[in-house]
Amino acid sequence: MNIFVTRVIPQKGLDLLIEAGFEVTQYTEKRELSQEELILACKDHDALLSVGPNKIDENFLKQCSHLKGIALMSVGYDNVDVEAATRYGVPISNTPGVLSGATADVAFLLMIAVSRKAFYMSNSIAKGEWGFFEPTVNLGQELNGKTLGVFGLGRIGMELAQKCKAAYNMNIIYHNRKPNDEAEESLDAQYVSFENLLKQSDVLSVHVNLTPETKGLFDHTAFKQMKPSVIFINTARGAIHQEDDLLQALQNKTIWGAGLDVTNPEPMEPTHPLLSMPNVCVLPHIGSATAETRDNMAVMAAQNLIAVLKDQEMPQAINPEVFHH
Ligand code: DGY
């Protein structure tokens, strides 16, 4: 049996597939495959290892319902029509857990970098602007004892909350679909309404999936309810915030700063005004980009494919009901 891999992935994942006796075709060009190209490639393969934003939608699934399984090398699956996959009987897996620490690190890094205007300050040196020292200029803000608001206290949000508690004894509040008992016990985290999350957070960090409910949720109306001193962090998906509204909120000083590892669209235009603002730090979607984490993601994706190609349930299936019909 053979597997199509949409990008160059860590060798550890490929080795596992090859050792298990499967043939692997890896697409090595540095460009996004169109859906037509992907469908054509999948026609000759039994399974797919998908990296990046390729749309696994009704059209794709209808034409590729022969696939025995699709393993995503990501935790997010907003590019997948899960209901259609289940209907066509195609099991799909993701890579939860293995990237939580790395992604929370990036949220933590952005929080500190924004609080001290670090990226802007660094760029100013290159522009020859390291000038006369003025004690009242270039001031950031402290994080010690401040309130961290986590929107989506799952694995990644929990890792961030733990880091913020340990480093700065931050007070943790969160808004979730359901209460997180572990966080309430171990971090004294407090469940609040979405409105209170907006009103009370000194740092508000987004860790939810992109869904129709969360799409564009952080807009003008949301930013208006936040503290003028708040730092807004998004390491989840760019489409959860309205980028024009965010820019306006920063320009009008409705909010204090923002740290983004995800933008809308990606890549962000090099001339985007957010990139030259003092209280803004933007990274190019590197949440899971450590050698260790990417190895673990490739291995997890490979293990899911090996399972399904050996007629077993995918351990990280996002539509496990496929296996029970
Ligand atoms: C994920 O795993 O969802 C990361 O954001 C990479 O897309």
Side-chain angles (χ1 to χ4, degrees), residues 74-76 99 236-237 285 288 297:
S74 63
V75 66
L99 45 70
R237 285 291 181 268
H285 203 145
S288 63
M297 291 168 76

Side-chain angles (χ1 to χ4, degrees), residues 112-169:
I112 302 174
V114 173
S115 77
R116 304 301 292 271
K117 313 182 187 190
F119 291 17
Y120 178 81
M121 294 297 159
S122 177
N123 288 338
S124 72
I125 302 172
K127 289 194 272 177
E129 291 169 3
W130 187 350
F132 182 68
F133 164 63
E134 294 172 84
T136 57
V137 174
N138 296 338
L139 303 184
Q141 50 168 313
E142 304 270 338
L143 295 165
N144 212 35
K146 295 271 172 80
T147 295
L148 171 73
V150 183
F151 183 51
L153 192 59
R155 295 184 193 86
I156 301 172
M158 185 71 180
E159 291 256 3
L160 176 67
Q162 285 164 341
K163 289 177 208 293
C164 290
K165 191 72 166 179
Y168 297 116
N169 195 24

